[in-house]
Amino acid sequence: MPGHLVVVATSQLNQWALDYIGNLQRIKAAVRQAQTKEATILITPELSISGYGLLDHFLELDTVMHSWEIVAELLQDKDLYGIVIDVGLPVIHRGVLFNCRCILLNGDIKLVRPKMTLASEGQFRENRYFTPWPRRHVEDFALPEPVATIVGKKTVCIGDAILSFQDTLVGWESCEELFQERVPHSDLYLIESVDLVLNSSGSHWEIRKLNRRIDLIRSATVRGGAYAYSNQIGCDGDRLLYDGCAMIATNGDILGILPQFELSETSVMVATIDLNKIRAARISPTRGSQVVAEEHRYKRINVDFPLALPAGSHPRLRPSEPIQVKYHTPPEEISLGPAVWLYDYLRRSKQSGFFLPLSGGIDSCSSAVICFSMARLIVDSIKRGSQQVLRDFRAICGEPEGSTWVPQTPQEACNRIFVTAYMGMKRQSSQQTRTRAATLARAIGSSHQEFDMDTVVDSATETFTNTTGLKLEFAGGTVSNLALQNLQARLRMVHSYLYASTIMTARGRKGSLLVLSSSNVDECLRGYYTKYDASSGDLNPIGAISKTDLRGFIGWAEHAFELPCLREFLDAVPTAELTPLESMQTDEEEMGMTYAELSVFGRLRKVDRQGPYSMFQTLLHTWNHLTPREIADKVRRFFHYFGINRHKMTTLTPAVHCEVYNPDDNRFDMRPFLLPQFELAYRKLDKEIKLIKAMEEGREADQI
């Protein structure tokens, strides 16, 4: 007697682009976990065999060849029999490259399902490599020779088709297809009465993004249907962080969801779905008339394999109950996302830790606290029994083979892999920033250095004066003042790399450190930093986070991490401390705008796609506390500095992407780096102000 309960497994894997052997091991580990939990079908993330973030490596024939070699290994491993396995790889068909799912069962390939809607906005460039497949179209695909020999057939169906198992209908949509107006799952559920839709994804993290994804999956199933979503997790070698949250839903309810941020390489979750409950929810006359009227149907491929458990075989098994999804707050996301990204980068780069210039300001403080959060995650994972994290962390710390050392506190972990340094100037650096930096370093356990660079700076300026005859002074005009500020800042970068490359040797250990920088997204957008200064480094944990969000994060961490010293960072006025103390230098005064205003400018420019004139019109109706002329001046000031500093974006330190107005020139915010002044927009803006003034004075427009 056929059963009606199906145990579905979804996974989130920490795949690494081009790491075919490692990716295979993680897929196999996921299959074994699913088998242990008695699942009959498992979905893995998008492009799980090759990794998602290959970029132009997708254009190499080796990528396709090696991916099929991994498929061959999976097909030949009889320990993986008895469960349907959904994996992803790039496939060449008729000379065209497609982003495909490959459905495996007991040494056979049942379907190759290409992606129909490609992600080609923001961080994604899938249409640079792949071609979208037409809806409901199928063809015969000629299998590569080694694979054809293993499965005993030369061709397999490729296309938008359905697998009809003995008791369950299964359909597919892939990542971006879920976010479109015309979604595949709608027709799959309505027209074909598919029971289960599988979605393999390579979805990246952004602050405040998760709720949209979950809402779409809930709404997809609300009229009857099961939905299994799989996603990659971690850093696979680029600026993106994939945030997991693999989940299973039925009839509008979430039955289970994996963590959004974790250090585990392989996580699997199962849910027991009730086919009867799904089918009962669909019975309605209105739906029936739509189904009967549809003429263009999907191709169904029969598969002689049951997904449901035999009736009576598990009398105590109950369908999974809905759960309440917990969303992280933005400060929690900031504490976890960049920390996971840093950890993955560190262990995979095989470096010995991080070096951070710690200035005593809130930006470098945020980078330091994120590193401390990473140490907390490491220690917590080890205490929960993760042998993988323990092995990796011992390797990072240079522990010998057979070591039994286990870090007991985040501070102990920090001390082994995190070096901070306060690089001051006797005439410019205040005692307050020195003290704040040292106090924070003690609280989080970093190995802290403190030194002054006056002699180095004086030597450089003396050499310049002897060569040119020009004496550089802070009171000597704008050019001289900026030259001295930039010199200090750039010498800090030079010292950072000197210390990062040698400090481990000085401590009697092998290896070198990755240099962290601390420019926030608003300063990058405005260009308020020195090119090739301490904002330059190997990685930037806060480069795509706004100053406003960073302040919220530090305020949260003060209590969540029990770091009372953070209050002093919040109370301090942001300053670069590059001029003599008596000048009272502050960031917002020098920029001519507040960080809150910068955040607004950034969102209007990138998210709302506004130029100077459109931005002025928008702010005219929202910034009621300013006059039209004041708004115009601020808009002009922003675009002036945005334009003249755009060249700095080409050298931005790689930062984990997490903000929708990230100005990263590498792949997200692609614009020229030599920009003219926006004269036409400014003329329209000035004309608008004159018109507003005339109307206020009761004059006619033709009198202007």
Side-chain angles (χ1 to χ4, degrees):
M1 181 179 176
H4 62 94
L5 298 180
V6 180
V7 181
V8 179
T10 184
S11 64
Q12 54 192 40
L13 308 180
N14 195 331
Q15 304 297 71
W16 189 7
L18 299 174
D19 182 23
Y20 300 101
I21 295 175
N23 293 346
L24 172 63
Q25 292 170 346
R26 286 180 281 273
I27 291 171
K28 285 188 173 184
V31 175
R32 288 191 290 269
Q33 288 186 38
Q35 289 172 323
T36 301
K37 299 176 181 180
E38 300 192 82
T40 53
I41 187 166
L42 167 72
I43 179 174
T44 66
E46 184 174 6
L47 295 164
S48 54
I49 287 177
S50 62
Y52 181 83
L54 272 69
L55 302 176
D56 280 3
H57 286 291
F58 280 123
L59 302 175
E60 300 168 3
L61 291 177
D62 281 15
T63 299
V64 178
M65 175 185 68
H66 291 319
S67 295
W68 278 114
E69 289 170 351
I70 299 304
V71 171
E73 291 227 23
L74 292 169
L75 290 168
Q76 294 178 95
D77 189 343
K78 294 187 177 181
D79 289 339
L80 308 182
Y81 281 20
I83 182 171
V84 179
I85 307 169
D86 177 336
V87 295
L89 73 159
V91 170
I92 294 178
H93 174 59
R94 290 198 289 142
V96 180
L97 190 64
F98 296 98
N99 176 348
C100 292
R101 309 302 303 165
C102 191
I103 316 306
L104 315 178
L105 174 63
N106 296 342
D108 192 14
I109 298 176
K110 298 301 181 183
L111 173 68
V112 176
R113 201 282 196 179
K115 193 172 184 178
M116 299 185 297
T117 304
L118 302 179
S120 299
E121 294 183 353
Q123 290 283 355
F124 299 105
R125 300 287 182 273
E126 287 186 16
N127 59 359
R128 181 181 173 93
Y129 324 110
F130 302 114
T131 298
W133 187 268
R135 286 174 176 258
R136 304 192 197 182
H137 179 70
V138 294
E139 297 181 9
D140 286 333
F141 171 68
L143 291 166
E145 182 54 39
V147 175
T149 301
I150 293 168
V151 300
K153 58 185 181 185
K154 293 186 177 180
T155 62
V156 68
C157 178
I158 183 172
D160 185 19
I162 296 169
L163 291 188
S164 178
F165 292 90
Q166 289 179 4
D167 44 34
T168 312
L169 283 176
V170 180
W172 278 264
E173 68 182 10
S174 187
C175 195
E176 183 68 12
E177 294 167 10
L178 171 66
F179 293 86
Q180 301 304 304
E181 292 182 5
R182 187 184 172 195
V183 289
H185 67 250
S186 179
D187 286 347
L188 289 170
Y189 287 139
L190 175 65
I191 307 302
E192 299 295 341
S193 293
V194 161
D195 301 298
L196 172 64
V197 171
L198 304 181
N199 184 330
S200 59
S201 182
S203 187
H204 68 283
W205 168 61
E206 278 179 1
I207 302 171
R208 306 175 182 90
K209 174 186 174 185
L210 178 61
N211 59 331
R212 183 187 175 208
R213 191 189 307 162
I214 292 179
D215 288 345
L216 287 171
I217 291 174
R218 284 187 200 272
S219 63
T221 65
V222 73
R223 291 182 177 85
Y227 199 101
Y229 171 87
S230 173
N231 192 22
Q232 192 162 306
I233 193 165
C235 166
D236 76 341
D238 198 9
R239 291 166 171 81
L240 298 185
L241 173 74
Y242 302 93
D243 63 343
C245 286
M247 68 189 87
I248 298 173
T250 61
N251 296 2
D253 293 319
I254 304 297
L255 302 184
I257 185 169
L258 288 170
Q260 186 178 14
F261 308 106
E262 63 174 350
L263 304 187
S264 174
E265 290 201 329
T266 304
S267 292
V268 172
M269 181 202 71
V270 301
T272 303
I273 63 172
D274 188 339
L275 297 177
N276 289 344
K277 188 175 180 180
I278 291 170
R279 292 162 184 171
R282 293 174 172 168
I283 299 174
S284 102
T286 304
R287 179 181 180 275
S289 62
Q290 291 176 292
V291 172
V292 172
E294 180 66 31
E295 295 182 359
H296 190 187
R297 304 293 296 274
Y298 284 80
K299 177 180 177 62
R300 295 193 180 195
I301 301 169
N302 293 320
V303 181
D304 188 19
F305 182 81
L307 291 187
L309 299 169
S313 63
H314 295 71
R316 308 298 295 175
L317 183 65
R318 295 169 56 87
S320 299
E321 295 290 335
I323 65 165
Q324 197 71 31
V325 177
K326 179 188 179 297
Y327 295 94
H328 291 295
T329 63
E332 289 173 332
E333 289 191 83
I334 293 171
S335 76
L336 296 169
V340 171
W341 185 72
L342 286 177
Y343 174 73
D344 274 346
Y345 197 101
L346 178 61
R347 69 189 180 94
R348 285 175 167 167
S349 66
K350 300 190 183 304
Q351 298 301 297
S352 300
F354 296 114
F355 178 90
L356 173 70
L358 190 58
S359 68
I362 200 165
D363 290 335
S364 61
C365 163
S366 298
S367 291
V369 175
I370 286 171
C371 284
F372 182 64
S373 178
M374 179 192 71
R376 287 170 58 92
L377 287 173
I378 291 169
V379 173
D380 182 62
S381 296
I382 292 172
K383 287 183 176 179
R384 287 188 286 108
S386 175
Q387 292 301 308
Q388 177 70 50
V389 173
L390 180 58
R391 284 194 300 271
D392 287 344
F393 192 61
R394 282 174 176 166
I396 292 169
C397 294
E399 286 293 303
E401 194 74 29
S403 170
T404 59
W405 172 74
V406 178
Q408 298 301 313
T409 66
Q411 286 81 359
E412 182 183 358
C414 257
N415 190 259
R416 296 291 297 268
I417 63 168
F418 191 30
V419 177
T420 54
Y422 182 90
M423 295 180 271
M425 291 285 291
K426 293 176 182 178
R427 296 184 294 273
Q428 280 86 274
S429 302
S430 68
Q431 188 57 47
Q432 290 89 337
T433 54
R434 290 177 190 271
T435 302
R436 285 201 297 269
T439 302
L440 176 60
R442 283 195 300 272
I444 65 176
S446 67
S447 175
H448 189 62
Q449 315 288 318
E450 181 180 323
F451 56 89
D452 290 321
M453 304 193 308
D454 299 73
T455 55
V456 181
V457 174
D458 290 344
S459 177
T461 55
E462 183 181 348
T463 300
F464 176 82
T465 300
N466 291 339
T467 304
T468 65
L470 176 64
K471 186 176 182 180
L472 299 177
E473 296 177 313
F474 286 108
T478 301
V479 172
S480 179
N481 187 306
L482 285 177
L484 286 171
Q485 291 190 56
N486 290 338
L487 176 63
Q488 295 170 63
R490 289 179 175 129
L491 285 173
R492 286 192 174 106
M493 186 270 288
V494 172
H495 279 77
S496 293
Y497 276 95
L498 172 63
Y499 274 73
S501 62
T502 59
I503 192 69
M504 300 309 283
T505 302
R507 296 172 66 176
R509 283 178 52 188
K510 294 181 180 179
S512 58
L513 305 177
L514 295 164
V515 175
L516 298 182
S517 61
S518 301
S519 296
N520 64 66
V521 70
D522 298 320
E523 290 172 348
C524 294
L525 178 68
R526 162 64 168 71
Y528 184 65
Y529 66 94
T530 300
K531 197 173 184 180
Y532 302 120
D533 71 343
S535 64
S536 298
D538 298 309
L539 301 171
N540 185 352
I542 67 166
I545 305 176
S546 72
K547 191 83 161 189
T548 302
D549 279 341
L550 287 177
R551 289 186 61 83
F553 161 60
I554 292 301
W556 170 86
E558 176 189 0
H559 305 287
F561 292 170
E562 298 179 347
L563 297 172
C565 63
L566 296 182
R567 175 51 47 184
E568 295 184 23
F569 288 86
L570 289 169
D571 294 339
V573 177
T575 172
E577 288 195 339
L578 290 171
T579 61
L581 292 173
E582 58 269 18
S583 69
M584 303 293 288
Q585 180 184 33
T586 66
D587 292 355
E588 292 185 340
E589 185 177 340
E590 281 201 331
M591 290 191 298
M593 60 194 75
T594 67
Y595 281 107
E597 290 169 343
L598 260 178
S599 184
V600 172
F601 291 142
R603 289 181 181 276
L604 291 178
R605 182 197 65 92
K606 176 64 178 177
V607 182
D608 294 349
R609 301 171 180 176
Q610 294 187 1
Y613 183 68
S614 299
M615 188 179 293
F616 168 74
Q617 288 187 315
T618 298
L619 295 175
L620 195 60
H621 298 284
T622 55
W623 281 4
N624 296 326
H625 61 290
L626 297 176
T627 66
R629 170 50 64 188
E630 289 171 333
I631 293 172
D633 289 344
K634 283 183 177 288
V635 170
R636 293 184 69 147
R637 186 179 297 116
F638 167 74
F639 274 99
H640 169 74
Y641 285 106
F642 168 74
I644 66 172
N645 289 319
R646 183 64 194 176
H647 65 96
K648 296 181 181 179
M649 300 304 99
T650 63
T651 62
L652 276 182
T653 298
V656 57
H657 172 78
C658 52
E659 180 55 79
V660 291
Y661 65 97
N662 181 6
D664 169 34
D665 179 73
N666 177 267
R667 60 185 282 180
F668 184 68
D669 191 33
M670 304 178 75
R671 303 166 192 263
F673 54 85
L674 178 61
L675 292 172
Q677 290 299 306
F678 302 88
E679 285 301 325
L680 182 58
Y682 295 159
R683 289 178 190 174
K684 287 177 65 67
L685 194 150
D686 289 337
K687 185 177 180 180
E688 184 99 353
I689 291 175
K690 290 179 181 178
L691 180 62
I692 293 171
K693 186 176 181 181
M695 293 175 65
E696 290 175 345
E697 295 174 352
R699 292 184 287 130
E700 297 293 332
D702 57 8
Q703 295 179 318
I704 300 175

